Amino acid sequence: MWTKEAAATAEARESGIRNKSSSSSQIPVVGVVTEDNEAQDGLEEKQLKFVKKLVQCFQNGLPLRDLAQIFKILNLCAGKIKNQPRFVESAYDIIKLCGLPFLKKKVSDEITYAEDTANSIALLGDLMKIPSSELRIQICKCIVDFYHAEPPKKHIPGYQQASSSYKIQMAEVGGLAKTMVQSITLLEHQLVEKLWVLKVLQHLSTSEVNCTIMMKAQAASGICTHLNDPDPSGQLLFRSSEILWNLLEKSSKEEVIQQLSNLECLLALKEVFTNLFMRGFSHYDRQLRNDILVITTIIAQNPEAPMIECGFTKDLILFATFNEVKSQNLLVKGLKLSNSYEDFELKKLLFNVIVILCKDLPTVQLLIDGKVILALFTYVKKPEKQKIMDWSAAQHEELQLHAIATLSSVAPLLIEEYMSCQGNARVLAFLEWCESEDPFFSHGNSFHGTGGRGNKFAQMRYSLRLLRAMVYLEDETVNTDLCEKGTIQQMIGIFKNIISKPNEKEEAIVLEIQSDILLILSGLCENHIQRKEIFGTEGVDIVLHVMKTDPRKLQSGLGYNLLLFSTLDSIWCCILGCYPSEDYFLEKEGIFLLLDVLALNQKKFCNLILGIMVEFCDNPKTAAHVNAWQGKKDQTAASLLIKLWRKEEKELGVKRDKNGKIIDTKKPLFTSFQEEHKIIPLPANCPSIAVMDVSENIRAKIYAILGKLDFENLPGLSAEDFVTLCIIHRYLDFKIGEIWNEIYEEIKLEKLRPVTIDKKALEAITTASENVGKMVASLQSEIIESQARQDVQNEQKVYAKIQATHKQRELANKSWENFLARTSNAKTLKKAKRLQEKAIEASRYHKRPQNAVFHGTDIKGLNTTVPSGGVVTVESTPARLVGGPLADTDIALKKLPIRGGALRRVKAVEIVDAPKKSIPT
């Protein structure tokens, strides 16, 4: 019951409202209203009067500081409604105030009173339980007004409006969405109130926070089951579908799908969609129909959804194919799709839902009954001239591409239907048209038409995808039929045609087409020698063409990596095993190209290339090609393979010292993975870690290649390579010992005791394996020491050369100093002269033979400062003939005298151009 203090406060508030000066300066604070056990008679009228005064007081907005007190009054009014219906009007008036702006006196009020505001707004949802249509509608109107905020009717000094999103945020915090979802169950037969609640939920579902709250309150299933409730206005279906869309987009999609994946919801969706499909003719109805189909498609992604049980799958297949395959079913009798945008979108959505539905294997029989393959193949044909079409040219092209894409998913599940419709023949004929020069203007507007504007690349792309999907089923009937129809030759021809007309604009699409062609050829030729022979040299040529691609393009992101993978796969499947093709591949330096790619050091290609090389090494001609290859810095193939081995062991965490030498002779090949995962007993049919290690890295392949190249005669190896080669050479012995060690450890773990002979054999094997490790380690040490000695010798030779160079430089410097001393000091020159003469005299033969002629070696009157050598004066040709001393010898551009005799100095002769020959006319 309200107290006298509350009444006095209300009266003061009333007088304050009348007093203009008071109302302009301050909004009165609402007193606390409590319930008393005193007499109630006579107070109800007074209480109702006070509420009216309260409402009049806050006509311009609600202060945040008073909000909690006002909602306490509202709550008390709501409590009295059951016994006193007159309080409905009071509650209505107070709720109406909540649609007005919230006012704050301080900037911090929004934070200070956030909790009170959130609790107050949450109370609105609880009031939906009051069985009053008028009150419920007003609550909904109030909440909708949160999203359409209006400024206060009158500015109140000292107060300002709270932010426009404040109410929305507080509704999220207070969990208003949950109580509004729960209120739907109270409105089973109240259509007007239900529509208002859906309108509120439609606004609330624009927030991710509210969507999460609604999802947890099971809003999706609750709303979906009422989709078919009677509603002449059509608002119920529209608002419900909008809410479902928001829930799927802004909350946990998986959880919402799970809520909708029940029979009741799917039956409701089925009925709605069927009604709209058959009777919806307006733009609005068609759009709503498509929205319902998209929601259904999303639900169909859940394999647990009872799509077949409710009959929805069968109806969807019927709706997807009735235009192409005539049906007498009453649902589609007399129906026809127009070329309107909505019907066009519907057709694409139906194709899409078939792709989703076919993932559930029980759907296969329904697809067979619905003749889906036949319906889709009606689009796989070249455009027919002068034929009236239901769709425009652009629409038909898009549906054609969509149908082929759908066939790629459906046809592999329906092989018999595919073959009965002559699927291979249809696709190959369509590909032939794609390759032809027939005039065709492609629009390329759709997702599937990407890169196909003005050409037939899009059609070729999806047709090849369909063929690739069928080939990789490895169904012999399908593949044999393809080969009999000349598919291998046709694919090679298409590939050649593409590379002869490069198209840089649509490079990514062209690369995908080339990759698919190679994959189709690989699938057809694998394990069939005759087909490999058909692939022949023409096929090898296209493979070599791709292998010569600039390695820098592998990083372009356009699809060159995928093309290279497809090429390597085609080498494996189409060339290996066919000796003429292998020889031609080797003749065209194919091994060089493989090693060039291997030298790029890209791990994703290494395993496949090494596997190919292992197989190629069975050909006796291969070894010479491998040994002849040289990479950058004259790197040999053997050196490259050993380098890859070291890199692989480093990544695997194999223990080696800084020189690459074995550390643990008992476990020379152990990886870090094997160290971490201890040996455990396994069944006999399960490979152990040591066995799996063989196939999970490239070490076994490198061992096999080097073994076939002969370990003893590998060119171009360094000492480091030889150290690693010692391990590779003994790889098989180490691996056998590793497996025997696993066997021995498993016997111990299983607490089995082998017989004496077996125990001795196991010990002997493990000891022998360890001895091999020690022997290899010893050999590695010798190589390392030998290399160290060789390095020391080479270093000493370098030092000796450096020393000799320095000594020669010192001698030259000393000689230069002596020369400078002789030229600058006369005494030093004389001394040098005396020493020279003394040395000359000492070197002479003093006992002169009889009749000997003495020739003096000294040049008299010499003024030079350098020692003179032996001089001989020869008098023969007269100077007048020679031209005198230092006659001009530069005769390159001088004309030789023709008068004979010795050369003479003559004047230079000018060289003129030869006369040009006249050209006969």
Side-chain angles (χ1 to χ4, degrees):
M1 181 161 299
W2 297 345
T3 62
K4 293 179 180 179
E5 290 80 359
T9 305
E11 288 178 356
R13 227 177 274 119
E14 183 181 3
S15 62
I17 293 171
R18 292 171 183 170
N19 189 337
K20 293 182 180 180
S21 62
S22 176
S23 63
S24 62
S25 61
Q26 181 179 358
I27 293 180
V29 178
V30 179
V32 178
V33 181
T34 59
E35 196 161 353
D36 198 353
N37 292 326
E38 296 181 2
Q40 298 181 6
D41 296 338
L43 288 178
E44 290 179 357
E45 290 294 336
K46 190 177 291 188
Q47 292 169 350
L48 292 172
K49 182 180 178 182
F50 290 155
V51 170
K52 288 181 180 179
K53 292 179 180 179
L54 182 70
V55 171
Q56 290 176 0
C57 179
F58 297 110
Q59 288 298 312
N60 293 320
L62 296 178
L64 292 176
R65 61 169 62 187
D66 298 332
L67 202 60
Q69 305 300 333
I70 293 172
F71 270 83
K72 283 184 180 180
I73 296 173
L74 174 60
N75 198 24
L76 290 171
C77 290
K80 288 179 173 289
I81 288 175
K82 185 176 180 181
N83 298 322
Q84 299 293 334
R86 291 183 299 172
F87 280 90
V88 170
E89 184 180 355
S90 299
Y92 179 91
D93 292 338
I94 296 175
I95 291 171
K96 195 173 181 180
L97 291 177
C98 296
L100 298 173
F102 286 176
L103 304 175
K104 59 183 178 181
K105 197 165 188 177
K106 298 178 181 178
V107 175
S108 61
D109 281 358
E110 290 187 5
I111 300 173
T112 305
Y113 301 105
E115 184 178 355
D116 291 342
T117 306
N119 293 334
S120 300
I121 292 177
L123 181 62
L124 293 175
D126 294 330
L127 296 178
M128 290 295 293
K129 297 175 183 177
I130 299 174
S132 169
S133 176
E134 184 182 5
L135 202 61
R136 287 170 173 170
I137 292 172
Q138 183 55 45
I139 292 172
C140 293
K141 287 181 179 179
C142 174
I143 298 171
V144 171
D145 287 341
F146 290 178
Y147 295 84
H148 307 284
E150 295 181 358
K153 296 178 182 178
K154 180 180 178 182
H155 177 69
I156 303 173
Y159 285 87
Q160 57 181 333
Q161 184 178 357
S163 59
S164 58
S165 61
Y166 185 67
K167 289 184 180 180
I168 299 173
Q169 293 173 0
M170 293 301 101
E172 294 174 357
V173 175
L176 176 63
K178 180 179 179 181
T179 53
M180 295 307 294
V181 170
Q182 292 171 347
S183 67
I184 293 178
T185 57
L186 305 173
L187 308 172
E188 292 287 343
H189 305 292
Q190 287 83 20
L191 179 61
V192 178
E193 292 95 313
K194 187 187 295 185
L195 291 177
W196 271 106
V197 171
L198 289 174
K199 186 175 182 179
V200 169
L201 291 175
Q202 185 181 357
H203 282 81
L204 291 173
S205 64
T206 57
S207 157
E208 291 185 4
V209 175
N210 285 333
C211 281
T212 302
I213 295 171
M214 292 166 65
M215 179 266 296
K216 292 180 180 178
Q218 303 293 313
S221 57
I223 292 172
C224 187
T225 52
H226 291 89
L227 285 176
N228 287 308
D229 289 357
D231 175 28
S233 67
Q235 291 187 46
L236 186 145
L237 185 56
F238 165 70
R239 298 194 188 282
S240 298
S241 63
E242 183 74 18
I243 294 167
L244 291 176
W245 260 114
N246 290 338
L247 287 173
L248 286 166
E249 288 182 352
K250 299 179 180 179
S251 65
S252 173
K253 185 178 180 181
E254 294 75 17
E255 181 61 32
V256 174
I257 291 174
Q258 196 63 39
Q259 289 183 25
L260 296 174
S261 298
N262 58 70
L263 198 60
E264 190 176 1
C265 289
L266 287 172
L267 284 171
L269 286 169
K270 174 191 171 186
E271 187 175 345
V272 169
F273 179 76
T274 305
N275 288 335
L276 291 171
F277 190 89
M278 296 173 63
R279 302 177 184 85
F281 299 104
S282 67
H283 171 79
Y284 167 78
D285 289 340
R286 289 172 176 174
Q287 197 172 35
L288 191 56
R289 171 199 64 190
N290 292 354
D291 290 344
I292 296 295
L293 181 55
V294 174
I295 293 171
T296 303
T297 304
I298 295 172
I299 298 171
Q301 295 174 3
N302 180 14
E304 298 177 2
M307 293 289 294
I308 297 175
E309 291 81 350
C310 69
F312 207 173
T313 298
K314 185 177 180 180
D315 287 353
L316 289 173
I317 292 172
L318 174 66
F319 294 145
T321 60
F322 80 95
N323 256 22
E324 295 77 22
V325 180
K326 300 304 178 184
S327 173
Q328 299 301 319
N329 193 303
L330 296 176
L331 290 176
V332 295
K333 193 172 183 179
L335 280 179
K336 188 176 182 181
L337 296 178
S338 67
N339 61 355
S340 66
Y341 175 78
E342 289 76 20
D343 283 355
F344 174 60
E345 288 295 315
L346 172 69
K347 193 67 179 178
K348 293 194 295 181
L349 289 171
L350 288 169
F351 282 167
N352 185 56
V353 79
I354 286 176
V355 175
I356 301 297
L357 292 172
C358 74
K359 295 177 182 178
D360 188 14
L361 291 180
T363 309
V364 171
Q365 187 58 46
L366 295 176
L367 295 174
I368 295 171
D369 296 341
K371 299 181 181 179
V372 172
I373 295 292
L374 181 60
L376 294 172
F377 263 122
T378 58
Y379 292 92
V380 188
K381 57 185 178 183
K382 65 179 181 179
E384 298 179 11
K385 297 179 181 179
Q386 297 178 349
K387 182 181 178 182
I388 299 174
M389 299 173 63
D390 297 331
W391 309 101
S392 68
Q395 287 176 334
H396 183 269
E397 179 194 346
E398 190 169 345
L399 289 176
Q400 182 184 65
L401 295 172
H402 209 140
I404 300 172
T406 304
L407 274 170
S408 300
S409 299
V410 178
L413 302 172
L414 308 173
I415 297 176
E416 292 183 8
E417 284 64 33
Y418 175 84
M419 296 301 294
S420 66
C421 292
Q422 295 294 315
N424 288 336
R426 289 177 185 245
V427 177
L428 292 174
F430 189 67
L431 276 172
E432 189 175 348
W433 170 77
C434 292
E435 191 186 7
S436 69
E437 299 294 335
D438 290 354
F440 173 73
F441 183 75
S442 165
H443 295 270
N445 296 325
S446 65
F447 166 78
H448 294 94
T450 303
R453 188 168 185 81
N455 55 55
K456 304 170 189 173
F457 281 153
Q459 285 79 359
M460 182 181 289
R461 177 190 188 189
Y462 281 95
S463 300
L464 289 170
R465 280 190 188 181
L466 172 57
L467 273 186
R468 187 189 69 192
M470 298 308 298
V471 166
Y472 271 78
L473 292 173
E474 298 183 1
D475 185 275
E476 196 56 34
T477 305
V478 175
N479 289 356
T480 301
D481 183 61
L482 282 169
C483 292
E484 289 175 353
K485 288 181 169 56
T487 304
I488 295 176
Q489 298 94 322
Q490 186 174 351
M491 292 296 109
I492 293 174
I494 293 173
F495 199 103
K496 284 186 171 182
N497 190 29
I498 289 174
I499 61 179
S500 66
K501 302 174 183 178
N503 189 324
E504 295 182 0
K505 185 178 179 182
E506 307 298 344
E507 190 174 6
I509 306 298
V510 171
L511 291 174
E512 183 183 342
I513 289 172
Q514 292 176 335
S515 299
D516 283 340
I517 289 174
L518 291 173
L519 289 172
I520 290 168
L521 291 170
S522 299
L524 292 174
C525 295
E526 189 174 15
N527 302 324
H528 289 83
I529 297 298
Q530 292 179 346
R531 297 175 188 174
K532 291 181 180 181
E533 290 174 352
I534 296 172
F535 183 81
T537 56
E538 289 188 348
V540 175
D541 285 335
I542 65 174
V543 168
L544 293 171
H545 174 82
V546 178
M547 293 292 293
K548 293 175 183 177
T549 302
D550 186 351
R552 290 174 294 183
K553 291 184 178 180
L554 295 175
Q555 309 300 328
S556 66
L558 293 173
Y560 281 97
N561 279 326
L562 179 60
L563 179 59
L564 185 54
F565 271 119
S566 304
T567 306
L568 294 174
D569 188 51
S570 64
I571 294 173
W572 184 278
C573 299
C574 303
I575 297 176
L576 287 171
C578 179
Y579 296 121
S581 296
E582 285 187 10
D583 291 345
Y584 185 75
F585 184 82
L586 292 171
E587 180 184 338
K588 294 294 182 178
E589 299 182 348
I591 286 293
F592 290 179
L593 296 174
L594 279 175
L595 288 168
D596 287 341
V597 178
L598 189 63
L600 296 176
N601 205 12
Q602 295 195 18
K603 190 173 179 63
K604 53 192 170 187
F605 298 123
C606 286
N607 203 11
L608 189 52
I609 293 174
L610 291 172
I612 292 170
M613 289 190 63
V614 169
E615 297 299 322
F616 256 115
C617 284
D618 289 335
N619 190 319
K621 300 178 183 179
T622 302
H625 287 262
V626 175
N627 288 328
W629 177 84
Q630 281 191 336
K632 292 181 180 179
K633 299 180 181 179
D634 296 331
Q635 185 183 33
T636 63
S639 176
L640 172 62
L641 293 171
I642 293 171
K643 180 181 177 183
L644 289 175
W645 175 287
R646 284 197 294 268
K647 181 183 176 185
E648 184 76 2
E649 286 200 331
K650 185 177 180 180
E651 292 176 356
L652 293 172
V654 181
K655 293 180 180 179
R656 298 282 184 261
D657 66 7
K658 63 179 182 179
N659 296 315
K661 184 181 169 185
I662 293 174
I663 294 177
D664 188 350
T665 56
K666 292 183 179 180
K667 302 173 182 177
L669 299 178
F670 249 47
T671 64
S672 58
F673 178 82
Q674 288 174 287
E675 293 283 357
E676 293 169 3
H677 296 77
K678 301 300 180 182
I679 297 172
I680 56 173
L682 294 171
N685 60 346
C686 291
S688 65
I689 296 177
V691 175
M692 291 173 64
D693 175 74
V694 175
S695 59
E696 288 181 350
N697 57 68
I698 62 175
R699 291 190 294 179
K701 293 182 178 68
I702 294 174
Y703 166 77
I705 295 170
L706 292 177
K708 291 179 180 180
L709 294 178
D710 186 4
F711 285 107
E712 304 299 328
N713 298 300
L714 297 175
L717 300 185
S718 63
E720 184 183 14
D721 293 336
F722 278 113
V723 170
T724 307
L725 187 63
C726 294
I727 302 172
I728 301 174
H729 194 188
R730 289 291 185 173
Y731 173 77
L732 188 58
D733 295 332
F734 290 149
K735 183 56 66 175
I736 292 171
E738 192 177 305
I739 293 171
W740 275 110
N741 184 60
E742 276 190 341
I743 295 171
Y744 197 15
E745 292 298 325
E746 285 187 24
I747 290 173
K748 291 180 180 178
L749 290 171
E750 292 179 353
K751 297 181 180 179
L752 300 174
R753 191 173 65 180
V755 296
T756 306
I757 297 175
D758 290 345
K759 186 177 181 180
K760 289 182 179 180
L762 285 171
E763 291 174 351
I765 291 169
T766 52
T767 303
S769 176
E770 186 177 354
N771 289 338
V772 171
K774 291 178 179 179
M775 180 187 69
V776 171
S778 175
L779 181 59
Q780 288 178 315
S781 298
E782 290 180 9
I783 294 172
I784 294 168
E785 291 172 3
S786 174
Q787 181 61 33
R789 288 193 296 271
Q790 184 64 39
D791 291 342
V792 170
Q793 291 177 3
N794 293 338
E795 188 177 350
Q796 288 174 347
K797 287 180 180 178
V798 172
Y799 283 147
K801 185 181 289 187
I802 294 171
Q803 190 175 6
T805 302
H806 280 286
K807 188 173 182 180
Q808 188 66 27
R809 192 173 296 164
E810 288 174 1
L811 292 173
N813 291 337
K814 190 174 181 181
S815 174
W816 177 249
E817 290 172 0
N818 291 335
F819 173 76
L820 291 177
R822 291 195 304 273
T823 57
S824 59
N825 192 327
K827 292 182 179 179
T828 305
L829 179 61
K830 290 178 180 179
K831 182 179 180 181
K833 180 68 175 177
R834 286 195 299 271
L835 289 174
Q836 184 184 39
E837 291 175 348
K838 186 177 180 180
I840 293 171
E841 188 65 26
S843 65
R844 287 175 177 171
Y845 187 71
H846 296 284
K847 294 180 180 181
R848 184 179 302 173
Q850 292 181 358
N851 303 324
V853 179
F854 176 76
H855 296 279
T857 59
D858 295 337
I859 301 175
K860 295 180 179 181
L862 184 67
N863 295 320
T864 61
T865 59
V866 295
S868 57
V871 178
V872 177
T873 302
V874 179
E875 295 183 1
S876 57
T877 307
R880 61 183 179 81
L881 296 178
V882 178
L886 302 177
D888 190 358
T889 57
D890 187 8
I891 61 173
L893 297 177
K894 312 301 184 213
K895 188 174 180 181
L896 298 176
I898 59 174
R899 291 170 293 186
L903 296 176
R904 293 185 181 182
R905 183 180 182 87
V906 295
K907 292 183 179 180
V909 179
E910 183 180 359
I911 300 174
V912 297
D913 295 335
K916 297 181 180 178
K917 294 181 179 180
S918 60
I919 301 174
T921 57

